[in-house]
Amino acid sequence: MAVNQEGILLDSGTNELEVIVFNVGEGTYGINVMKVREIIQTEPVTPIPNSHPHIEGMIRLRDEVLTVVNLMEVLGCVPSRDPSQDRFIVSELNKLKVAFRVSGVSRIHRISWEQIEKPTELSQGIQSATTGVVKMDEQMILLLDFEKIVVDINPSKGINVEQVRKLGKRERSMKKVVVAEDSAMLRKLLHQTLSEAGYDQITFFENGKEAWDYLEFIKAADDQQLEEEVQLLITDLEMPMMDGLHLTKRIKEDDVLKRIPIIIFSSLITDDLYHKGIAVGADKQVSKPEIIKLIEEIDLLI
């Protein structure tokens, strides 16, 4: 099953996403279609000696060698009762292609980000493994945190403050930056890395709606002071309530707020999806976890 990225949500910034629903053991999970390159039947896997327990091995898909991550191992599930129904979801995130083994794939749903609840309202166990929860058709679909799964296996694929320290001592900047990022872990890492780079006047929000409400509040108070209060906005793409594309589109369509430079910082910045950020007016787009590239773009914009 190939996934046609060009045909997905052609109108960028609609605050909608399409989710592929799949099973791992007895659980029902979802993945944003924008992360999926294709879904294929399973094939023999070549083991990798001394690899992480969650890594099943490698496969060759046409001219590429892909690592296979077994989600049954990641989630501690009982293996599939009928392995013939297993599938590989070939995903691209953080500029890395990975094949995830699942117990079966059912269908694609289109939903609004407003329908997604933060897992913080549920158990801690769910919170650590998912980015959101959506109730649909009398069932609960958990949106897995694939980026965290990859970083847990290979920490070098995450944001590291040591990378910034290699830039040497930098002057403190009084420029004020707004960041919309739903992951508490990434908010903490961004605070550490950007502060190390000299940008410590940062206001964080958990989703695009909170960031939008903040900008609207500043504009309503005194739109002449806007540029003194916000010199730059950095936004993730996948966020409950309001995603980064919709946030960017609303800002750039506003006669006052459109002056704010916007950097999209997301694991979904790929060659196939770059056009979506351009369509909504983003000034720059940087793929996670390229923190040095993000700092360079901040330097240029402010």
Side-chain angles (χ1 to χ4, degrees):
M1 172 183 174
V3 178
N4 181 7
Q5 298 289 353
E6 290 296 327
I8 298 170
L9 300 180
L10 291 178
D11 295 327
S12 298
T14 61
N15 207 38
E16 294 177 301
L17 73 157
E18 291 189 296
V19 173
I20 296 177
V21 178
F22 60 90
N23 296 103
V24 179
E26 299 298 320
T28 303
Y29 302 91
I31 180 172
N32 190 335
V33 171
M34 290 200 296
K35 294 180 180 178
V36 179
R37 309 312 303 160
E38 57 187 305
I39 298 170
I40 61 174
Q41 293 188 349
T42 57
E43 56 183 75
V45 177
T46 302
I48 304 173
N50 302 316
S51 62
H52 190 282
H54 296 165
I55 293 180
E56 186 174 338
M58 300 180 298
I59 60 169
R60 182 168 181 174
L61 182 61
R62 293 180 286 278
D63 294 329
E64 294 183 287
V65 175
L66 303 180
T67 299
V68 177
V69 173
N70 191 323
L71 288 185
M72 276 76 92
E73 293 288 339
V74 172
L75 300 173
C77 297
V78 176
S80 306
R81 295 177 182 175
D82 183 5
S84 67
Q85 297 299 312
D86 284 4
R87 295 291 184 269
F88 288 148
I89 296 179
V90 179
S91 179
E92 184 173 4
L93 56 151
N94 291 1
K95 290 196 170 180
L96 183 70
K97 288 185 180 179
V98 181
F100 293 96
R101 179 187 286 271
V102 302
S103 305
V105 177
S106 56
R107 56 176 295 187
I108 296 177
H109 291 279
R110 176 173 289 193
I111 61 176
S112 167
W113 281 105
E114 294 179 352
Q115 294 175 247
I116 299 173
E117 298 179 18
K118 285 292 292 181
T120 49
E121 299 175 6
L122 303 171
S123 72
Q124 288 298 110
I126 291 178
Q127 179 186 358
S128 65
T130 68
T131 58
V133 184
V134 58
K135 186 176 182 181
M136 181 182 299
D137 298 334
E138 301 304 318
Q139 64 177 170
M140 196 77 76
I141 299 172
L142 307 181
L143 301 179
L144 282 185
D145 190 342
F146 285 89
E147 288 81 0
K148 185 177 185 298
I149 291 170
V150 170
V151 171
D152 285 347
I153 293 172
N154 186 350
S156 68
K157 296 301 179 182
I159 296 172
N160 191 331
V161 71
E162 293 300 325
Q163 296 173 297
V164 182
R165 288 174 181 154
K166 293 179 182 179
L167 295 174
K169 187 173 179 59
R170 291 167 57 95
E171 293 183 4
R172 296 287 96 187
S173 172
M174 297 307 295
K175 300 293 186 179
K176 296 178 181 179
V177 178
V178 170
V179 177
E181 168 62 61
D182 69 316
S183 167
M185 178 187 70
L186 284 176
R187 288 197 300 272
K188 180 179 179 180
L189 288 171
L190 282 171
H191 184 267
Q192 292 173 346
T193 51
L194 294 181
S195 294
E196 187 70 26
Y199 298 104
D200 51 15
Q201 302 293 309
I202 310 172
T203 303
F204 285 94
F205 295 98
E206 292 188 6
N207 58 62
K209 185 178 186 305
E210 290 184 359
W212 171 257
D213 290 344
Y214 175 70
L215 296 178
E216 284 275 272
F217 173 78
I218 293 176
K219 184 181 76 168
D222 187 351
D223 60 9
Q224 299 302 314
Q225 298 297 314
L226 177 68
E227 292 174 355
E228 295 183 16
E229 294 299 322
V230 182
Q231 279 85 49
L232 178 77
L233 182 137
I234 300 170
T235 181
D236 189 17
L237 285 182
E238 296 185 292
M239 296 180 290
M241 303 305 296
M242 185 186 294
D243 71 357
L245 289 174
H246 190 60
L247 172 63
T248 301
K249 182 178 180 180
R250 291 189 70 173
I251 291 172
K252 293 302 184 180
E253 288 179 346
D254 186 283
D255 289 339
V256 176
L257 299 178
K258 67 182 180 182
R259 303 194 298 264
I260 300 173
I262 299 177
I263 301 176
I264 294 177
F265 186 52
S266 168
S267 63
L268 294 177
I269 305 301
T270 63
D271 291 341
D272 289 338
L273 298 174
Y274 193 85
H275 70 281
K276 291 184 177 292
I278 293 175
V280 294
D283 295 272
K284 297 291 180 180
Q285 299 180 73
V286 179
S287 175
K288 292 177 180 175
E290 297 180 344
I291 190 64
I292 299 301
K293 177 67 173 176
L294 176 64
I295 292 168
E296 290 173 348
E297 297 294 5
I298 295 173
D299 290 345
L300 288 173
L301 287 171
I302 66 174

